[in-house]
Amino acid sequence: MTRHAQLAKTFLTCRDAAVHHDHTFWHVRENRDHMAQAVPEWEQLRSLASDIKAHTLSHIDTYLEQFEARATSNGVYVHWARDAREYCETVLHLLKEKDVTKVVKSKSMLTEECQLNPFLEAADIEVVETDLGERILQLMKLPPSHIVMPAIHIKKEDVGKCFEKMLGTEKGNADPTYLTYAARQHLRHHFLTAGAGLTGANFAVAQTGDIVVCTNEGNADMSTSIPPLHIVSMGIEKLIPDLESMAVFHRLLARQGTGQPTTTFTSHFHRPRPGCEMHVILVDNGRSQILSRKDHWQTLKCIRCGACMNTCPVYRRSGGYSYSYFIPGPIGINLGMLRDARKHAGNLSACTLCQSCDCVCPVKVDLSQQIYLWRQELDTLGLANRQKKIMSQGMQLVFNHPRVYSGALRFAPVINKLPRRLTGVRINTWAMAHEMPQFATKSFHELWKEGNL
Amino acid sequence: MNIGLFIPCYVDALYPQVGVLTYRLLRKLLPESHIDYPLEQTCCGQPMGNAGFQKLSNGLVEKYDKLFSAFDYVVSPSASCAAYVRTFYPLTYRHPCKAASHTMDLVEFLHDVVRPASLPARFPYTVSLHNSCHGVRELGLSSPSEKVVERYSKMRSLLSLVSDIHIVEPERPDECCGFGGMFSIEEPHVSACMGMDKLERHIQTGADFITGPDSSCLMHLQGLAMKSGKQIQFKHIVEILTAF
Ligand code: SF4
């Protein structure tokens, strides 16, 4: 079994939690469906969004320069980072320059990708996540299990216990309203005392230099309204041409991600607050490499809405931690392979090729086809499963030789007569949950040849 | 009309009656047509492709092209195999050919090309539709639940021609059942969990039978049903369209 299959097995042994996980995310999928069905031009919007992304990515050099020029003329400092290391160092440098010892941070998958938090912590800078889910995970020292709802797999009782210890809440109180209030109080203190606010970017508008951040908690706005320094971290693929394009994505993002018509807060950051500084770091970290791969560049269209996870029947039944890459689900399988194929090949089995992800994706990333193509590369990478290779070679032999094939057909029914001890052997994982199908006494082939139809 | 029958390997070996009934139904509905079954056919290559060994099945694609290029239509009673041929041959094998583009699953062939106004079939049972993924999302046998398009189901339309039938659909009507070929071997636990969930939803409809255009999904569900002692029965859609 692959790494994913093994961890999925463990996940499924806790039946109640597994059912809960499946129902929770299916519910998000249903909410998304209701929202989508209420927009008659939905499929048109998806095509448009896909086209806009394809256009921007294929003119990325021009748009990046346009963005840089606009943002700079708005008074924003723009930095470029080739990889994770350069990125982390840039952030640290900016913080040191201003003697910052504590930062408040809104959700950003890029910082997770580049492992910014441990880097800053090693330099004695306190990092406080301000998205409630992210904060819970940070206090529990756990990674996210979903990109939009990172802590949804955690039970409120466990949050209660964690807050008791870390924030001094009442013993045994797991009331979500109470706990949220406690978190709010606790975060407020940090908003007031942090030296810098870090945000990601959902979109960056080349025409205007806007950084667009979408949240439901307003925490990005809190993180940027008090500290004197605002640092934006964004992958270069977040760029879109203009505000008209933004309107298309705005209609899609929240409907797709959480089943809301819009996120509660959609903030456009144009320029620094008076007397303050705003910096944008444009991060490549492998993206221009991906852009050059004809089979995989489409992953760069992704707007991280999370819908492909919610609809994925395998993700819902195996959980975020069963994947080795920090982004799970269909897009995570692909991004993991692009990051480090050897390390993340164990996720490739987590797909039935049902294509539900392809049909929900707001920007039409060809997720399942890319997974299929990655599977084809495993043998060349020396990572193919031996059993599968032998089976496939066997099939090649039988199927390419009609005479061998008809011979095999004639003898197949013998298998029916084997004792179940033999057909149900351990290596035959199918037999763990299934009765074996029975071979027909006469195949269609034979019936046709007999003219007996 | 010249029709080539493509009876994929596992149907050939495990469910030959599905092939036989397909032939008989086409014979009856299209008495003027010539229906042939090229004997050299074996498999479409999908099991190898899904396992990551598409390169080992290149020969099968060329052979398919050779065997079926002369037909007006190639009809197969297996949506997943038909979908693989029609979509993957041009796309990932980069072998576009007439044989592939003229390949149709039996349901869509009946619904779109033959268009029977009535069928002399009777099936006085409650039947739950199994919308298999490739049928829905590659061939468009029904409207995918993810998309904002007009709702339709070619399976339902055809089955409505059968007398006394009661057609139902499970909750989450086109969620994957977890077969996925090699997937069921490589990810046995997730696969079984998906299958059992699907089975339960079919059973909850109160149906006597589960039917679909793919014997592979049905084989998976039937294997699970038998092992767990569930009573519900299984029929390929052609078995119902020809029942009396
Ligand atoms: S791949 Fe598509 S569905 Fe998945 S997170 Fe990205 S945009 Fe959303």
Side-chain angles (χ1 to χ4, degrees):
Chain A
M1 279 199 281
T2 62
R3 180 187 184 278
H4 178 272
Q6 279 162 3
L7 293 174
K9 178 184 174 191
T10 316
F11 177 87
L12 287 170
T13 48
C14 191
R15 182 70 189 149
D16 288 347
V19 169
H20 179 72
H21 190 268
D22 170 54
H23 284 191
T24 305
F25 284 105
W26 181 261
H27 187 62
V28 182
R29 157 78 207 271
E30 280 179 324
N31 289 344
R32 172 258 173 217
D33 289 354
H34 288 145
M35 276 295 150
Q37 298 293 347
V39 180
E41 65 274 29
W42 185 257
E43 297 303 327
Q44 245 172 302
L45 281 177
R46 287 179 68 224
S47 299
L48 209 53
S50 168
D51 290 349
I52 294 170
K53 279 286 180 181
H55 165 81
T56 320
L57 287 165
S58 53
H59 299 78
I60 190 91
D61 48 345
T62 324
Y63 283 118
L64 279 169
E65 280 168 11
Q66 190 188 358
F67 173 81
E68 184 185 33
R70 278 313 306 218
T72 309
S73 73
N74 293 344
V76 175
Y77 297 97
V78 177
H79 310 262
W80 301 77
R82 197 179 306 275
D83 53 24
R85 178 149 201 100
E86 234 177 74
Y87 159 68
C88 289
E89 278 165 359
T90 310
V91 177
L92 183 62
H93 175 77
L94 292 173
L95 296 176
K96 288 266 177 228
E97 233 176 31
K98 301 269 183 242
D99 292 324
V100 175
T101 53
K102 173 158 80 181
V103 299
V104 279
K105 183 168 164 286
S106 74
K107 198 148 95 38
S108 150
M109 284 294 124
L110 180 69
T111 57
E112 193 75 35
E113 173 186 319
C114 297
Q115 286 294 297
L116 178 72
N117 290 14
F119 183 86
L120 293 183
E121 279 155 7
D124 284 332
I125 289 176
E126 187 187 355
V127 182
V128 181
E129 294 286 352
T130 63
D131 172 90
L132 179 58
E134 290 283 354
R135 184 62 180 156
I136 291 169
L137 293 174
Q138 191 181 33
L139 293 173
M140 290 182 148
K141 298 195 179 353
L142 286 172
S145 78
H146 186 282
I147 59 172
V148 175
M149 291 154 277
I152 202 157
H153 60 298
I154 294 177
K155 289 208 285 282
K156 60 180 196 282
E157 289 74 23
D158 293 331
V159 176
K161 272 187 223 140
C162 166
F163 279 18
E164 249 172 70
K165 211 166 78 199
M166 312 292 288
L167 311 185
T169 54
E170 285 168 25
K171 205 164 159 39
N173 195 339
D175 174 50
T177 314
Y178 169 73
L179 293 176
T180 311
Y181 184 76
R184 193 172 290 155
Q185 290 302 320
H186 154 81
L187 285 173
R188 206 137 284 189
H189 159 73
H190 289 297
F191 286 130
L192 290 168
T193 52
L198 259 62
T199 69
N202 291 88
F203 305 95
V205 185
Q207 176 199 42
T208 58
D210 287 19
I211 292 292
V212 186
V213 181
C214 310
T215 73
N216 273 331
E217 299 170 16
N219 56 313
D221 307 86
M222 293 290 276
S223 304
T224 52
S225 333
I226 304 163
L229 175 62
H230 175 193
I231 303 175
V232 180
S233 312
M234 58 170 274
I236 52 173
E237 85 284 13
K238 295 287 171 202
L239 222 53
I240 53 173
D242 48 28
L243 289 172
E244 280 75 34
S245 328
M246 184 57 223
V248 173
F249 291 104
H250 186 203
R251 297 190 72 195
L252 286 167
L253 180 66
R255 285 186 169 89
Q256 278 289 357
T258 50
Q260 297 165 282
T262 173
T263 42
T264 316
F265 299 87
T266 301
S267 306
H268 289 237
F269 297 98
H270 308 278
R271 56 178 63 86
R273 296 183 350 255
C276 301
E277 278 183 24
M278 178 171 164
H279 295 254
V280 174
I281 311 176
L282 297 165
V283 184
D284 186 320
N285 202 31
R287 285 162 178 75
S288 35
Q289 275 296 320
I290 296 176
L291 194 54
S292 70
R293 303 186 66 147
K294 73 174 185 334
D295 289 335
H296 299 292
W297 70 269
Q298 292 210 33
T299 51
L300 292 172
K301 297 194 301 189
C302 172
I303 58 170
R304 303 286 191 274
C305 72
C308 57
M309 280 149 233
N310 308 339
T311 201
C312 177
V314 179
Y315 170 79
R316 278 187 272 107
R317 290 175 183 80
S318 60
Y321 296 157
S322 62
Y323 300 78
S324 59
Y325 195 54
F326 78 99
I327 299 178
I331 185 66
I333 296 175
N334 284 303
L335 292 174
M337 288 305 286
L338 288 163
R339 176 67 52 209
D340 184 344
R342 280 179 194 284
K343 195 159 154 200
H344 300 297
N347 299 331
L348 282 179
S349 61
C351 175
T352 63
L353 299 176
C354 78
Q355 308 185 4
S356 182
C357 51
D358 302 344
C359 293
V360 291
C361 178
V363 285
K364 299 191 176 183
V365 179
D366 50 352
L367 295 153
S368 68
Q369 198 195 311
Q370 293 196 43
I371 293 174
Y372 177 92
L373 291 174
W374 274 118
R375 287 182 182 168
Q376 311 308 321
E377 287 183 40
L378 286 183
D379 197 31
T380 323
L381 292 167
L383 298 170
N385 172 297
R386 262 200 50 210
Q387 199 188 339
K388 280 203 294 187
K389 188 165 180 172
I390 293 169
M391 281 166 73
S392 299
Q393 285 165 335
M395 287 189 264
Q396 182 193 25
L397 177 77
V398 175
F399 293 146
N400 273 323
H401 301 89
R403 289 184 52 188
V404 181
Y405 176 73
S406 8
L409 277 180
R410 219 163 317 119
F411 286 106
V414 175
I415 297 173
N416 297 338
K417 305 219 170 57
L418 293 178
R420 275 177 62 184
R421 243 177 328 114
L422 278 180
T423 51
V425 282
R426 277 230 331 258
I427 170 169
N428 182 357
T429 50
W430 172 272
M432 294 190 311
H434 299 81
E435 279 300 327
M436 295 303 286
Q438 296 280 304
F439 285 98
T441 23
K442 271 188 188 168
S443 65
F444 182 82
H445 232 82
E446 289 169 279
L447 293 172
W448 180 275
K449 274 202 274 194
E450 289 172 9
N452 206 1
L453 299 183
Chain B
M1 192 179 341
N2 249 327
I3 300 170
L5 276 184
F6 174 48
I7 308 296
C9 52
Y10 78 99
V11 178
D12 190 8
L14 300 169
Y15 306 102
Q17 82 280 7
V18 168
V20 173
L21 294 173
T22 300
Y23 173 74
R24 287 190 192 152
L25 181 60
L26 292 176
R27 180 79 297 151
K28 184 181 229 124
L29 293 175
L30 301 166
E32 308 291 308
S33 292
H34 173 72
I35 306 173
D36 200 7
Y37 171 77
L39 273 170
E40 297 225 319
Q41 62 181 283
T42 55
C43 167
C44 64
Q46 178 165 218
M48 293 125 106
N50 282 1
F53 291 95
Q54 181 184 293
K55 59 185 176 192
L56 297 182
S57 57
N58 287 333
L60 295 179
V61 177
E62 270 155 47
K63 176 138 87 196
Y64 189 93
D65 185 8
K66 221 170 69 209
L67 289 177
F68 290 110
S69 61
F71 293 99
D72 300 317
Y73 292 100
V74 188
V75 179
S76 179
S78 175
S80 183
C81 306
Y84 191 74
V85 168
R86 203 160 82 206
T87 321
F88 281 71
Y89 283 13
L91 208 63
T92 65
Y93 290 81
R94 302 193 197 281
H95 187 106
C97 57
K98 183 189 156 209
S101 62
H102 285 60
T103 295
M104 291 180 97
D105 164 67
L106 176 66
V107 170
E108 59 177 347
F109 182 70
L110 293 174
H111 183 275
D112 299 354
V113 180
V114 183
R115 303 163 149 270
S118 64
L119 282 174
R122 180 171 174 267
F123 198 71
Y125 300 99
T126 300
V127 168
S128 184
L129 299 186
H130 188 75
N131 296 297
S132 51
C133 299
H134 298 166
V136 174
R137 301 193 186 84
E138 282 181 54
L139 300 180
L141 295 188
S142 61
S143 43
S145 59
E146 298 88 1
K147 289 204 175 166
V148 181
V149 291
E150 216 177 297
R151 302 283 123 199
Y152 66 89
S153 162
K154 296 183 183 178
M155 269 214 288
R156 186 183 276 271
S157 305
L158 284 177
L159 285 169
S160 318
L161 301 174
V162 175
S163 313
D164 302 332
I165 195 170
H166 178 50
I167 307 166
V168 293
E169 272 183 279
E171 260 182 56
R172 308 189 185 183
D174 56 11
E175 188 187 25
C176 179
C177 69
F179 175 58
M182 203 56 92
F183 176 82
S184 60
I185 296 168
E186 254 194 317
E187 293 262 4
H189 298 89
V190 180
S191 171
C193 177
M194 288 168 71
M196 289 307 288
D197 287 355
K198 191 80 195 181
L199 194 59
E200 281 304 332
R201 292 198 168 88
H202 276 302
I203 291 172
Q204 274 161 21
T205 62
D208 308 301
F209 289 88
I210 299 175
T211 193
D214 261 305
S215 298
S216 53
C217 308
L218 299 182
M219 169 176 81
H220 166 60
L221 293 178
Q222 188 167 22
L224 291 168
M226 281 165 71
K227 189 99 171 185
S228 57
K230 309 276 190 223
Q231 294 309 317
I232 199 156
Q233 301 174 67
F234 295 82
K235 284 216 180 291
H236 186 279
I237 186 168
V238 75
E239 296 178 281
I240 299 180
L241 296 176
T242 53
F244 203 81

